Amino acid sequence: MSGVTIGVLALQGAFAEHMKMLRQLGVTAREVRKPEELDGLDGLIIPGGESTSMALIAERWGLVQPLKAWVGAGKPTWGTCAGMILLSDRATGQKQGGQSLIGGLDVTVNRNYFGRQIDSFEADLTVPALGAPPVHAVFIRAPAITGTGAGVEVLADLTDNAGQTVAVAVQSGPILATAFHPELTDDLRWHALFVRMVTESDAD
Amino acid sequence: MSKELNGHKNGQVEKGTFAVKAGLAQMLKGGVIMDVVTPEQARIAEEAGACAVMALERVPADIRRDGGVSRMSDPEMIKGIIEAVTIPVMAKARIGHFVEAQILEALGVDYIDESEVLTPADEEHHINKHKFGVPFVCGCRNLGEALRRIGEGAAMIRTKGEAGTGNVVEAVRHARAVYGDIRRLQTMDEDELFAFAKEIRAPYALVKETASLGRLPVVNFAAGGVATPADAALMMQLGVDGVFVGSGIFKSGDPAKRAYAIVQAVTHYNDPKILAEISANLGEAMVGINIDTLPEAEKLAHRGW
């Protein structure tokens, strides 16, 4: 399909699922574990997993600064779940002592907003940017975005019984973030959306 | 912090589905799950990069040494560990002891290990794991055992290995048995699959699914005897999705350093230069036990069926 190459951060978590879906879309996909493996990529996915594990492993192999530089340079980046936490400028509910964040996405994210595993859930989301039918979304010990800065477009949100609305999918320029896991479903629309973002950025 | 989401504006919410149970295991892949017995150890594990911790009263090496009946841990201790860390917390219930499992679910643990490391409570029946909203991981020695556990509702599988020995040989045997059988399955026609399902005493539908996927239908970790970064990388190269480390960390000379090194080894399992770097200067590994000098009655892997 497109001539772009998309990397998937493969430090820990569900990176293989993203690789598979990118390949289904005909995109060249590559696992990224070391700083030099970012070279030549047109886009990057930071997958779901444990954000504390990923941050600690990234620190050990000198990946935090290159990832910050990557996002800072306006390269297309998509974070799912833990990846969304790492891309956010502000995170609450972190482990004692906090954790490294890559940042770049002007939002406040609440880690494990939806609770422990027993509260993990599936839901259908209406996402105007993707059209019909609704997206089936899998939320695993999921975070939520509780505050957004200027220029952040909310693609999907959820409202609980108390009337509290939180964002669960946002886009801000070249950054896409989802609190749920499109890579755990068969729906390729999110990956296709990101590939379009990468292709358009590549053409600029 | 539980949110009542039923009836929210954007569609209906469904909890406790197999997709969310198996999904958490998918998020743990490429990671290390560490046995801890105190909140302090849990914090050390989290700081070392563990993707989850297993809360238990005694690590398997101590269970072996002390003998006696080994049970679910004190709920107070499990609560302390849940409060100490933000990563998922697992806890062990005895094989067949569905009330221990109910208690663990009520405590809010993220995964229950129905474990042969504890003394079995039922010699015929494993827990019916479909009845729970919390997911279960179970041990296996071969493909038939793995698929029987999945048939009972397990959303994650691990090798049994031989826990508390610091000897990886049984984990290797179990992983090779599982993956060898999966490779054999892929060469079989449907007639042979029926016969094979009967031979390994596994549900036919799961045998067929495994054959078409070319892997287990759920995530599979190594467990039981992993003590060094090289052990962890060996299991990853054999095909497992991640690693449990029990006694191997907190029975070693420098737990924080060893834990951190094993985490790096699971990420870079295919890079011998990095493995050489992270394997250096870790201090004493746990002493370990040779399995062939271990009396049959003391082997834990025979528990469960």
Side-chain angles (χ1 to χ4, degrees):
Chain A
M1 186 178 99
S2 56
V4 296
T5 303
I6 296 179
V8 183
L9 196 65
L11 302 177
Q12 189 272 323
F15 50 86
E17 288 80 351
H18 278 296
M19 297 285 294
K20 190 176 158 203
M21 291 182 94
L22 289 171
R23 283 170 182 156
Q24 280 174 15
L25 288 169
V27 172
T28 308
R30 199 163 78 200
E31 293 178 2
V32 175
R33 291 182 176 79
K34 296 188 252 184
E36 61 269 26
E37 288 166 349
L38 286 168
D39 297 345
L41 294 180
D42 303 300
L44 179 71
I45 297 177
I46 306 179
E50 278 306 311
S51 59
T52 52
S53 301
M54 285 189 220
L56 284 159
I57 300 165
E59 272 175 28
R60 171 66 180 81
W61 302 102
L63 260 161
V64 176
Q65 284 311 320
L67 287 170
K68 281 185 176 173
W70 167 276
V71 175
K75 304 271 188 112
T77 312
W78 174 19
T80 54
C81 195
M84 178 174 101
I85 296 170
L86 292 170
L87 285 174
S88 62
D89 281 342
R90 297 167 298 279
T92 58
Q94 296 187 67
K95 74 172 174 68
Q96 292 173 36
Q99 68 186 62
S100 294
L101 296 173
I102 298 161
L105 179 62
D106 184 9
V107 300
T108 303
V109 68
N110 185 331
R111 205 185 151 187
N112 304 138
Y113 175 86
F114 293 106
R116 303 196 69 83
Q117 174 60 17
I118 197 78
D119 298 308
S120 291
F121 62 96
E122 298 181 62
D124 287 334
L125 301 177
T126 304
V127 185
L130 297 182
V135 167
H136 189 69
V138 183
F139 291 80
I140 313 272
R141 285 171 45 99
I145 289 173
T146 53
T148 53
V152 178
E153 184 192 353
V154 175
L155 302 181
D157 59 23
L158 274 177
T159 304
D160 63 26
N161 281 351
Q164 173 90 10
T165 298
V166 290
V168 292
V170 298
Q171 186 181 350
S172 175
I175 301 180
L176 179 65
T178 52
F180 49 90
H181 297 282
E183 76 281 12
L184 297 188
T185 68
D186 297 326
D187 191 339
L188 285 165
R189 284 179 290 168
W190 289 100
H191 288 80
L193 170 68
F194 184 63
V195 171
R196 272 202 306 281
M197 287 169 59
V198 174
T199 311
E200 282 162 19
S201 161
D202 200 42
D204 286 344
Chain B
M1 184 179 42
S2 168
K3 296 277 181 300
E4 190 47 63
L5 278 160
N6 291 316
H8 70 77
K9 283 180 191 163
N10 208 342
Q12 285 298 310
V13 157
E14 216 184 337
K15 294 184 183 181
T17 59
F18 196 74
V20 302
K21 290 176 172 178
L24 177 56
Q26 287 174 274
M27 297 308 133
L28 300 174
K29 286 193 302 180
V32 183
I33 301 169
M34 302 182 192
D35 278 3
V36 297
V37 301
T38 63
E40 292 70 35
Q41 287 189 354
R43 290 281 304 127
I44 291 171
E46 184 175 51
E47 286 304 322
C51 66
V53 290
M54 175 75 70
L56 72 174
E57 211 149 53
R58 292 178 290 173
V59 294
D62 289 336
I63 291 174
R64 255 179 214 294
R65 189 196 59 205
D66 301 346
V69 175
S70 196
R71 312 178 177 89
M72 175 190 79
S73 298
D74 183 341
E76 197 57 35
M77 182 277 264
I78 295 170
K79 274 198 256 177
I81 289 173
I82 287 175
E83 282 161 19
V85 294
T86 62
I87 54 178
V89 175
M90 300 183 165
K92 288 183 193 288
R94 283 180 266 176
I95 290 173
H97 205 315
F98 50 86
V99 174
E100 284 188 350
Q102 290 164 7
I103 292 169
L104 293 174
E105 181 174 61
L107 286 172
V109 305
D110 297 296
Y111 240 96
I112 295 174
D113 183 3
E114 186 183 18
S115 179
E116 72 283 358
V117 168
L118 306 184
T119 310
D122 189 321
E123 294 190 332
E124 276 183 55
H125 310 93
H126 280 252
I127 296 170
N128 179 350
K129 294 162 276 284
H130 293 292
K131 287 185 176 173
F132 289 78
V134 65
F136 282 75
V137 54
C138 288
C140 76
R141 287 165 296 180
N142 51 52
L143 183 60
E145 206 171 359
L147 296 181
R148 285 195 292 281
R149 297 294 86 77
I150 297 168
E152 294 156 2
M156 179 177 182
I157 291 293
R158 57 173 173 77
T159 62
K160 285 183 172 173
E162 192 55 42
T165 60
N167 188 337
V168 79
V169 65
E170 293 300 307
V172 167
R173 189 192 318 281
H174 301 158
R176 282 203 181 273
V178 169
Y179 295 117
D181 271 352
I182 292 173
R183 280 187 283 271
R184 281 174 60 202
L185 269 185
Q186 289 175 276
T187 64
M188 292 181 193
D189 67 14
E190 201 177 27
D191 304 7
E192 291 167 328
L193 283 183
F194 280 120
F196 188 74
K198 196 173 135 194
E199 182 193 324
I200 66 168
R201 296 182 295 127
Y204 172 69
L206 289 173
V207 170
K208 198 176 165 192
E209 189 184 348
T210 303
S212 71
L213 290 170
R215 58 170 172 78
L216 284 177
V218 301
V219 164
N220 182 29
F221 269 46
V226 175
T228 67
D231 288 349
L234 170 68
M235 297 310 300
M236 292 296 289
Q237 288 196 25
L238 285 173
V240 300
D241 299 307
V243 173
F244 282 89
V245 188
S247 321
I249 290 175
F250 288 100
K251 286 289 165 190
S252 74
D254 189 341
K257 199 168 178 188
R258 183 165 295 269
Y260 186 71
I262 293 176
V263 168
Q264 312 307 326
V266 169
T267 296
H268 294 289
Y269 67 93
N270 248 336
D271 192 327
K273 277 188 184 157
I274 287 185
L275 293 173
E277 184 185 334
I278 60 183
S279 297
N281 300 316
L282 295 181
E284 290 289 310
M286 72 177 283
V287 173
I289 299 172
N290 281 320
I291 312 267
D292 43 13
T293 61
L294 201 63
E296 280 302 306
E298 289 181 20
K299 289 185 184 168
L300 304 177
H302 297 320
R303 295 170 169 179
W305 32 90

